[in-house]
Amino acid sequence: MEPVLIALLFANAVFNVVVWPRFYVRVAKDQRARNAEGKPTPFLIVHTVLIALALVLALASAIAAIAALVG
């Protein structure tokens, strides 16, 4: 059972690191990301926070997986 959990933790980390930064690029280019003055809108801010949290969870998953591997 432990190898499956370790694999899931690594898979979660890889998924988050691969998917969310690419999504941020799309969000940042969206017309809703900035107002007429060029300032960030709540749309950009909320998505940036969510993506940052996903990357923090990716790091936590990777650390947990490594800790489980080491013993």
Side-chain angles (χ1 to χ4, degrees):
M1 182 69 164
E2 189 173 310
V4 172
L5 295 176
I6 292 170
L8 286 172
L9 287 168
F10 275 127
N12 177 61
V14 170
F15 175 84
N16 282 322
V17 168
V18 169
V19 171
W20 293 116
R22 295 179 76 194
F23 181 68
Y24 177 78
V25 172
R26 293 185 66 186
V27 168
K29 290 180 182 178
D30 192 295
Q31 64 181 351
R32 298 170 288 176
R34 300 203 179 266
N35 63 18
E37 300 162 353
K39 294 184 180 181
T41 62
F43 174 83
L44 179 60
I45 294 168
V46 166
H47 282 88
T48 302
V49 169
L50 292 174
I51 292 165
L53 288 173
L55 294 174
V56 168
L57 288 173
L59 178 61
S61 292
I63 290 170
I66 292 167
L69 277 173
V70 172

